[in-house]
Amino acid sequence: MNSDVLPESVSNLIEEFSKLPSIGPKSAERLVFYLLKHDGNRELGKAAIDLKDGLVRCSTCQNFSTTSTCKLCANPNRNTKLICVVAQPLDIVAIEKTGLYRGRYHVLHGVISPIDGIGPEDIEVESLLNRVEAEQPEEIILATNPNLEGETTALYILRKLQDSPVKITKLAHGLPMGSDVEYADQMTLGRALDNRQAF
Amino acid sequence: MNSDVLPESVSNLIEEFSKLPSIGPKSAERLVFYLLKHDGNRELGKAAIDLKDGLVRCSTCQNFSTTSTCKLCANPNRNTKLICVVAQPLDIVAIEKTGLYRGRYHVLHGVISPIDGIGPEDIEVESLLNRVEAEQPEEIILATNPNLEGETTALYILRKLQDSPVKITKLAHGLPMGSDVEYADQMTLGRALDNRQAF
């Protein structure tokens, strides 16, 4: 019925937006009518078309890159003896924002999740193991999310590296800064108690 | 800092998505990484670029169209004596979905909102008044939203048409179907009482 009311170019873009996660048909309609009223549809379109042009995975850390070795891995100021293992590139963005980490990364591009049919062979575990053998780092920080899939993935990597001399650590769990003890969930408060630190 | 971590094409698309309403930087990142993992970025891009190609406003109803008279206005089965005035094209989509309206429309492309600096001259009121004079319809349904701006706009049009013989109506207000009297807001319940109907 929309075909009688909306021009094809309009329903086309509504359809494409609707395919994206967390954008329902109503939101898609609103986005398209926003673009009809404002500039920017061509810029958005060009950026979407160009998104994957020349994009490869860094041969060292597997992050998206335009060169075979990404800028971060090629940076001589980064500590090559420290590898932080993350599930996805956005985790790197978050960690870099802290300004507290000067090592390098390894992007798994996913986590082990049997319910979704994702096993260790579907994510970048093998490239990590090869890299550890070749680079002989001093420490590996397993920075996967503190949930079922993230911890499963971390445990799997831990087991695979148990015969390696590398030191393996994980991010600290506890109360988020600025939070209330009163409103903390049981799991988080439990971890905060277990891992309590001397003043 | 992102420039070191994310390739330019990735941050470009994140930036373009962030410009859209209700999409924050975090959501934009998630959408882009979804597109990196899945197909569809080129289709989305093409649809966005083509959005406004050949798009004009229908010379009769002002809705977006690819022809100077839109399909709906050109449809001989629609009642030309009935004009439903709506604020935006999406309202037409909603009304058409009811399947109960066989007249034509007039799209204002906005509502009068002094706080946003939008006056009657910024929306399609004049084209409506000209059209009423030329077409001499029997009835005009003012279907703007039942809120301050929508009612102000309806009242303005009502006043402008007070010397015209055309019958002017508005959508009924009352309890939404499937709702609870208990949870209805005061305004809605008040309207429902005022406009009570004989069984």
Side-chain angles (χ1 to χ4, degrees):
Chain A
M1 176 196 305
N2 275 6
S3 69
D4 231 30
V5 181
L6 300 177
E8 204 186 335
S9 70
V10 175
S11 22
N12 273 353
L13 188 55
I14 291 175
E15 201 188 313
E16 291 299 331
F17 270 131
S18 304
K19 291 178 186 169
L20 298 176
S22 79
I23 298 188
K26 272 278 158 206
S27 315
E29 284 177 357
R30 240 173 291 129
L31 292 175
V32 171
F33 278 90
Y34 175 88
L35 284 171
L36 278 171
K37 276 200 172 178
H38 298 81
D39 285 337
N41 64 302
R42 301 188 74 85
E43 290 75 8
L44 171 69
K46 211 185 156 318
I49 286 178
D50 295 345
L51 176 63
K52 297 178 189 174
D53 284 358
L55 222 55
V56 291
R57 288 194 180 178
C58 168
S59 58
T60 306
C61 73
Q62 306 298 328
N63 194 3
F64 294 115
S65 168
T66 47
T67 44
S68 71
T69 298
C70 75
K71 281 187 199 166
L72 207 145
C73 285
N75 185 338
N77 295 323
R78 308 290 303 208
N79 182 348
T80 57
K81 290 294 170 198
L82 202 54
I83 299 178
C84 180
V85 177
V86 296
Q88 46 157 353
L90 286 178
D91 299 330
I92 299 186
V93 177
I95 294 172
E96 284 297 292
K97 275 186 190 150
T98 68
L100 295 173
Y101 180 70
R102 298 304 298 165
R104 299 200 288 178
Y105 295 92
H106 195 87
V107 182
L108 297 173
H109 288 287
V111 280
I112 298 173
S113 175
I115 216 167
D116 301 311
I118 301 172
E121 64 286 354
D122 299 311
I123 62 176
E124 294 289 344
V125 172
E126 204 185 320
S127 60
L128 173 65
L129 302 179
N130 292 340
R131 187 176 167 194
V132 172
E133 197 159 315
E135 293 186 10
Q136 299 282 337
E138 284 162 9
E139 182 180 346
I140 293 179
I141 304 169
L142 297 177
T144 51
N145 290 334
N147 57 22
L148 183 63
E149 290 83 5
E151 307 237 297
T152 303
T153 308
L155 284 175
Y156 179 85
I157 295 171
L158 186 69
R159 222 174 45 213
K160 283 283 175 184
L161 289 172
Q162 63 190 4
D163 299 328
S164 154
V166 66
K167 180 179 162 193
I168 301 179
T169 57
K170 60 174 182 171
L171 296 179
H173 301 316
L175 294 177
M177 297 305 288
S179 68
D180 288 323
V181 172
E182 180 183 356
Y183 296 118
D185 65 284
Q186 282 178 30
M187 291 271 288
T188 301
L189 200 50
R191 292 279 189 117
L193 274 170
D194 277 350
N195 303 334
R196 63 190 180 275
Q197 293 165 309
F199 249 108
Chain B
M1 177 194 310
N2 276 6
S3 69
D4 230 31
V5 182
L6 298 177
E8 205 186 335
S9 69
V10 174
S11 22
N12 273 354
L13 187 55
I14 291 175
E15 200 187 314
E16 291 299 333
F17 270 130
S18 304
K19 291 176 185 168
L20 298 176
S22 80
I23 298 189
K26 271 279 158 203
S27 314
E29 285 176 358
R30 240 173 291 129
L31 292 176
V32 171
F33 278 90
Y34 175 87
L35 284 171
L36 279 171
K37 276 201 174 181
H38 299 80
D39 285 338
N41 64 303
R42 302 188 74 85
E43 290 75 8
L44 170 70
K46 210 185 158 316
I49 286 178
D50 294 346
L51 177 63
K52 297 177 187 172
D53 284 0
L55 223 55
V56 294
R57 286 193 182 181
C58 168
S59 58
T60 307
C61 73
Q62 306 299 327
N63 194 2
F64 293 115
S65 167
T66 48
T67 43
S68 71
T69 299
C70 75
K71 282 186 198 165
L72 208 145
C73 286
N75 185 341
N77 295 323
R78 308 290 304 209
N79 183 348
T80 58
K81 289 295 168 198
L82 201 54
I83 298 177
C84 179
V85 178
V86 295
Q88 49 158 351
L90 285 179
D91 299 331
I92 301 187
V93 177
I95 294 173
E96 285 296 293
K97 275 186 190 151
T98 67
L100 294 173
Y101 181 70
R102 298 303 300 165
R104 298 199 290 178
Y105 294 92
H106 196 87
V107 182
L108 298 173
H109 287 287
V111 281
I112 298 172
S113 174
I115 215 167
D116 302 311
I118 301 172
E121 65 286 354
D122 299 311
I123 61 174
E124 294 289 345
V125 171
E126 204 184 321
S127 59
L128 174 65
L129 302 178
N130 293 339
R131 186 177 167 193
V132 171
E133 197 160 316
E135 293 185 10
Q136 301 282 335
E138 285 162 8
E139 181 179 347
I140 293 180
I141 304 169
L142 297 176
T144 51
N145 289 335
N147 56 23
L148 184 63
E149 292 83 5
E151 306 237 298
T152 304
T153 308
L155 283 175
Y156 180 86
I157 294 171
L158 186 68
R159 221 174 47 214
K160 282 284 175 185
L161 289 172
Q162 63 191 0
D163 300 328
S164 155
V166 66
K167 178 180 163 194
I168 300 180
T169 57
K170 60 175 181 168
L171 296 180
H173 299 316
L175 294 177
M177 297 304 288
S179 68
D180 288 324
V181 173
E182 180 183 357
Y183 296 117
D185 65 284
Q186 281 178 31
M187 290 271 288
T188 301
L189 200 50
R191 290 283 188 114
L193 274 169
D194 277 351
N195 303 334
R196 63 188 180 278
Q197 293 165 310
F199 249 110

